[in-house]
Amino acid sequence: AVSGGPDSVALCDVTERLCRETGHPHVALIVDHGLRTESADEALSVQARLVELGIEAGPLTVMVPPPLSGKLAWARQQRFALLTSYVRARRGILMFGHHRDDQAETVGMRLAHGSGFGGARGILPVRFFAGVLCVRPFLSISKQALVHYCKKTGLTSVADPSNNHRVYERVRMRALLDDEPHISGQLIRFSYASHRLSKVLQRNIQAFSKRYCRSEPLMTCIDLTAFQRAPLLLRLQLIKQTLMRHGAPDYPPSEASVTKAIQAVFE
């Protein structure tokens, strides 16, 4: 997935080099969301530059009109739908250029929204989404390093004007982390710790579920007495996973809302 920024352009170049060595096909996909009048020309410009480098590239256009609010979330949903549909049809792997700075911003926003330690894991380097394997190999690399790579190799990148609009939460979080650079490192370390803790907790949830839960296609039954005795963290994650199994798997509920639900059951 190529936006034209230094992170995705660097990923595109590295992937193309590896695919040429190993004989694998590689296609750069550029999504035009149609949010700005000049976006179509920008997508074609990015495509032209990649073709000049000998990289097969194709634009994907969002055909649905954007909403009046929540445009970033809408754009993300439309982008993923187009990308995963294309890749799934070709039995491929979808790659993204998210980097270390993106990870810190994501963890910061999720903590601000009360997502709990589960959300603090941040962006996963590998995950399945809509039946497609999504890979993000640059999560441990800073954006500055990717910008340097592009300059060193003579790659041209562009900047999305929306990256400077403070109306967007991610832009505000980015500005905060730029003013307090030490916080980024702390968020990344917290993300690693949360990921390790999540693995341990998942094993405990599986053991608890096997003994005290009964899952069916439309519902999950949990032994209430055993649930009340379980540690709070296990209760929270068990309910989250149950809700995601029967609801929207890509947007987990906040820890605050799950806590309210559990309290209501206990009362």
Side-chain angles (χ1 to χ4, degrees):
V2 183
S3 66
D7 41 9
S8 63
V9 169
L11 175 64
C12 188
D13 183 70
V14 171
T15 305
E16 178 67 16
R17 293 171 186 267
L18 289 172
C19 286
R20 286 177 182 175
E21 292 179 5
T22 57
H24 288 92
H26 170 223
V27 180
L29 300 175
I30 306 137
V31 177
D32 173 20
H33 301 89
L35 289 174
R36 293 177 290 109
T37 55
E38 61 271 23
S39 63
D41 291 337
E42 291 173 353
L44 291 175
S45 176
V46 173
Q47 179 187 13
R49 287 200 299 273
L50 294 176
V51 170
E52 287 179 1
L53 297 173
I55 300 173
E56 182 181 353
L60 301 174
T61 305
V62 175
M63 305 304 294
V64 183
L68 296 178
S69 62
K71 290 184 179 180
L72 280 188
W74 170 87
R76 181 181 182 277
Q77 292 172 357
Q78 297 298 322
R79 178 168 64 251
F80 268 81
L82 284 174
L83 292 170
T84 53
S85 177
Y86 183 98
V87 175
R88 186 169 56 247
R90 290 157 182 78
R91 300 175 63 85
I93 294 174
L94 183 55
M95 302 182 72
F96 295 96
H98 295 104
H99 45 73
R100 182 182 173 92
D101 301 60
D102 291 324
Q103 182 72 292
E105 292 165 11
T106 299
V107 173
M109 289 189 299
R110 290 183 179 179
L111 289 175
H113 283 278
S115 62
F117 95 95
R121 291 181 303 168
I123 307 170
L124 298 178
V126 180
R127 67 170 292 201
F128 275 101
F129 184 89
V132 173
L133 184 65
C134 299
V135 182
R136 295 172 171 85
F138 285 172
L139 285 178
S140 62
I141 301 176
S142 69
K143 181 175 182 177
Q144 184 178 6
L146 297 176
V147 170
H148 177 72
Y149 176 88
C150 289
K151 290 181 179 179
K152 184 178 179 180
T153 53
L155 296 171
T156 303
S157 62
V158 295
D160 186 342
S162 63
N163 288 337
N164 297 320
H165 293 172
R166 295 184 70 94
V167 66
Y168 298 123
E169 181 186 15
R170 182 172 290 275
V171 176
R172 297 195 299 272
M173 178 60 67
R174 185 175 302 140
L176 171 65
L177 296 180
D178 286 343
D179 292 338
E180 303 287 345
H182 65 282
I183 297 180
S184 291
Q186 294 173 348
L187 289 172
I188 294 296
R189 288 191 292 273
F190 185 57
S191 171
Y192 288 150
S194 297
H195 189 66
R196 292 193 296 270
L197 179 59
S198 178
K199 289 184 175 181
V200 174
L201 182 59
Q202 190 58 39
R203 288 196 294 268
N204 284 289
I205 289 175
Q206 290 172 352
F208 181 93
S209 299
K210 185 176 180 180
R211 185 172 181 181
Y212 298 112
C213 300
R214 186 180 79 253
S215 294
E216 299 177 6
L218 297 180
M219 69 175 181
T220 295
C221 300
I222 305 172
D223 183 289
L224 184 59
T225 302
F227 183 77
Q228 289 176 317
R229 292 199 304 262
L232 174 60
L233 201 52
L234 189 149
R235 296 200 302 252
L236 287 170
Q237 294 305 310
L238 177 64
I239 295 300
K240 268 192 178 185
Q241 291 183 19
T242 303
L243 292 172
M244 292 168 66
R245 184 184 307 118
H246 299 299
D250 301 311
Y251 296 95
S254 70
E255 194 165 290
S257 62
V258 175
T259 301
K260 286 182 181 179
I262 292 174
Q263 187 63 37
V265 171
F266 285 175
E267 291 175 352

